[in-house]
Structure formats: structure tokens, C-alpha cells
Amino acid sequence: MKKTVLIYGALLAVLVILLRVLEYRFFVRDLSIEIYIGIIAILFTSLGIWFGLKLIDRQKSKAISQSGLDGFIINSEKLRLHGITERELEVLELMASGLSNQEIANKLFVSLHTIKTHSANLYSKLDVKRRTQAIRKAREISHPE
Amino acid sequence: MKKTVLIYGALLAVLVILLRVLEYRFFVRDLSIEIYIGIIAILFTSLGIWFGLKLIDRQKSKAISQSGLDGFIINSEKLRLHGITERELEVLELMASGLSNQEIANKLFVSLHTIKTHSANLYSKLDVKRRTQAIRKAREISHPE
DNA sequence: TTCCCCCTCATACTTTAGTATGATTTTCAC
DNA sequence: GTGAAAATCATACTAAAGTATGAGGGGGAA
């Protein structure tokens, strides 16, 4: 956690320095400073959005998993017995809602690779081969009868 | 939606101008430009975070409004209203049971190509892009509420 | 009988999904 | 603070899924 802060701090510093250098190299006070400021603004707004979403996502997943929210498939308790983790559960739910791996990755702010890893683990835990089977099995486990 | 963008854009512009004015009034190029940039960076990072949160909020309400379902027995009648044929229905059911296209093809004694054609037609009739979405949508149509 | 719909099959792609393996980093309990 | 479990990201594949387009045969309705 502290490392993360340091990294972000460093990144920010680097960006600032880089911008400074750019200013001297290319803008040389000739180019309207408004444009310069605009660039900085956009850059850091993006950074902020990304950072904010990352943070929120972390909080959210914790909160959701406890409130037992949302009527979908998932009976967390029963699925947990199969060794399925919190994150895998999230991925499973999004899968069941019809999203592609890429879309899930965007939604959770992680890479496509990560989603693939999660889903692969999920499949082996549920003893299935495909996402459609995983969805089906999860439903069976959650709502037996 | 377009209005929102305009509002935010205007807000951003105002901020930029304000910063520009501030620069002339108080900093007058004496104060180290790094600090100046830093302030801008922090400001816009905050703006970004706030904006990101706004976005998330909107997504969340949408996502929640569309979930909820249960067992999946397909109500042919209702699906037929969407122009889905008998064969397509069969394919859909087998899909929902987690079979691959190849497996479906074997089961129905037709070629893989045929299954792909059926599923493509199915998707366009259900207005979806993937099999998981088709399954979900079919379930929604069959068991509304 | 001719037209239209359904089912079938095909070629030739592009895009996602899934597998195998390895690595780093967090987190949490002991 | 160590160690184990989770989560992340990555490379490099192979295997499915999905898209676009065309085409032939069969059966029912006009």
C-alpha cells in the first residue's frame, strides 16, 4: 500500500517534470499557455478518473460481497464451499450477465489477462470447460431442488 | 447526456481561465512553475476522481435495474413472437445447457456451419452479440418480472 | 407453379475464449 | 515478519465463437 502511494507519487512527479521539459523544448512560451494548461488538465483529469475508479472498485467489491446484494445466481455461501473466491464470484456474475472477458476487464479495471486467469481458476473449481457451463453449474449449486 | 458534457466542458474551461487569471495576479512567474503545475495537477486529479465517481454511479443504477432471473425453461410461445424458429429454439436450449457449437452439431446431426448459421440468426433476432447474452435474454423473455 | 421461408452447408475471415506457465504483489492470519 | 492464499499481469499458444456472404433443396401458400 505504501509502495503504491510512492509509485503514484513518483509517477506524478515524473509527469510534472516531463511537462516542464516539454515546455522549454517546444513551447518556449510562444505557444499560448492556455493550451499548455489544457493539456495538463486533460492528462491529470484522466489520471484522476482512472485512479478514482480503481479505488472505488476495490471498496465496492468488498461492500457488495458482504451485503449479499443482488438477485442473481449467486448464493455466495454455497459457491464458497467449492473454493471460489470473492473476485472469482464477481467475474462469474458478470459472465452470467453476458459480458465478454474484455468487458469484464474494463468494468473491474484490470487486464484481460487477469480475467482469463480468474475464469480459468473458476472453471477448474466448478469442474467445467466453458463459461456457459460455469453459469449453469453455478445456478444449480445456488438453487438446488 | 450531451448537455452534461457541455456543462462539464464549460466548467473545465472556467477553471482553466481562472487559473490563468490567478497566474497573472499572484504568481507573476516568480513562483516556481513546478508548484504551479502541481496545483493544477492536484486540482484536476481531484476533478477526475469526482467525475469518475459520477460515472460509476450512473452505471451502477443501470446495471442494477437489469438483473434477476431463475431457472431456465424456455417458453416457446413468447420466444416465437420474436420470430424464432423451432430449430433455433433447439439450438438455444442446447446452448443454455452449456454445449459447444460442435457438440450441438453432433447432437442434432448437422454440420458445425449450420449451427453457426442458426446461432447467428438467433442473435440477430434476440438483438444480442454472444451466446451468454442470448441465454440471458431468452430467460428474461420466458420469465418476465 | 412460383415465391418465400426454413434448413442446410460452405468458404474465408476476425474476434473471443480458453490453456499453460511463470512472475510479482497484497492481504491476512499465525 | 513469515507464509499461504489471492489478485494481478504477461507471453504464447490453440480452440472455439462469431461475421459475411453465397447457395441449393424442400415445402407450404398465393
Side-chain angles (χ1 to χ4, degrees):
Chain A
M1 194 57 203
K2 282 175 185 173
K3 246 180 195 170
T4 314
V5 171
L6 280 178
I7 290 174
Y8 287 140
L11 210 145
L12 215 138
V14 167
L15 249 168
V16 168
I17 291 170
L18 200 142
L19 284 169
R20 183 71 206 285
V21 170
L22 273 179
E23 187 210 15
Y24 274 114
R25 281 280 170 78
F26 301 103
F27 291 90
V28 202
R29 280 143 212 273
D30 288 347
L31 223 176
S32 158
I33 197 164
E34 274 90 354
I35 292 177
Y36 182 52
I37 292 179
I39 293 172
I40 298 177
I42 290 171
L43 253 168
F44 280 93
T45 302
S46 309
L47 184 78
I49 290 176
W50 171 76
F51 191 75
L53 293 184
K54 266 268 193 203
L55 277 179
I56 271 297
D57 181 62
R58 222 164 261 197
Q59 290 175 10
K60 193 175 60 181
S61 45
K62 276 183 187 168
I64 284 181
S65 70
Q66 282 161 1
S67 71
L69 175 92
D70 188 349
F72 184 40
I73 326 177
I74 308 271
N75 182 325
S76 336
E77 298 313 311
K78 287 179 185 167
L79 283 171
R80 285 288 170 71
L81 292 180
H82 291 248
I84 286 156
T85 70
E86 209 166 314
R87 202 56 160 170
E88 286 159 3
L89 219 64
E90 277 189 278
V91 172
L92 176 57
E93 288 188 20
L94 294 174
M95 264 182 188
S97 77
L99 300 186
S100 68
N101 285 339
Q102 185 59 67
E103 288 168 336
I104 295 173
N106 293 338
K107 205 153 213 164
L108 297 181
F109 303 103
V110 297
S111 83
L112 175 59
H113 301 295
T114 305
I115 300 303
K116 285 188 177 186
T117 305
H118 284 319
S119 50
N121 291 334
L122 202 48
Y123 299 156
S124 85
K125 284 176 185 174
L126 287 175
D127 191 30
V128 297
K129 286 273 174 192
R130 277 181 288 286
R131 53 176 48 212
T132 44
Q133 292 179 340
I135 294 169
R136 189 171 210 272
K137 190 136 190 179
R139 195 171 285 116
E140 286 172 1
I141 292 171
S142 299
H143 306 292
E145 76 205 72
Chain B
M1 193 58 201
K2 282 175 185 173
K3 249 182 194 169
T4 316
V5 171
L6 279 178
I7 290 174
Y8 287 139
L11 211 146
L12 215 139
V14 167
L15 249 168
V16 168
I17 291 171
L18 199 142
L19 283 168
R20 182 74 206 283
V21 170
L22 274 179
E23 188 209 17
Y24 274 116
R25 280 282 169 77
F26 302 104
F27 293 89
V28 204
R29 284 146 207 270
D30 288 348
L31 223 175
S32 157
I33 197 164
E34 275 89 357
I35 293 177
Y36 181 52
I37 292 178
I39 293 172
I40 297 178
I42 291 171
L43 251 167
F44 279 94
T45 301
S46 309
L47 184 77
I49 291 177
W50 169 77
F51 191 75
L53 294 187
K54 268 275 194 199
L55 275 179
I56 270 291
D57 223 48
R58 208 160 285 183
Q59 282 182 8
K60 203 165 48 181
S61 48
K62 264 188 193 170
I64 285 180
S65 75
Q66 52 172 218
S67 63
L69 58 111
D70 52 354
F72 80 103
I73 295 154
I74 286 161
N75 183 324
S76 344
E77 297 313 311
K78 288 180 184 165
L79 283 172
R80 285 289 172 69
L81 294 180
H82 291 248
I84 287 155
T85 69
E86 206 165 324
R87 203 56 160 168
E88 285 161 4
L89 217 63
E90 276 189 279
V91 173
L92 177 56
E93 288 186 18
L94 293 174
M95 266 183 187
S97 77
L99 299 186
S100 68
N101 285 339
Q102 185 60 68
E103 288 167 338
I104 295 172
N106 293 339
K107 206 153 214 165
L108 297 182
F109 302 105
V110 296
S111 84
L112 176 58
H113 301 296
T114 306
I115 301 303
K116 284 189 177 185
T117 305
H118 284 319
S119 49
N121 291 333
L122 201 48
Y123 299 157
S124 84
K125 285 177 185 174
L126 287 176
D127 190 29
V128 298
K129 285 272 174 191
R130 277 181 287 285
R131 53 175 50 213
T132 43
Q133 292 178 341
I135 294 168
R136 188 172 211 270
K137 190 135 190 179
R139 196 171 285 114
E140 286 174 0
I141 292 171
S142 299
H143 308 289
E145 100 222 48

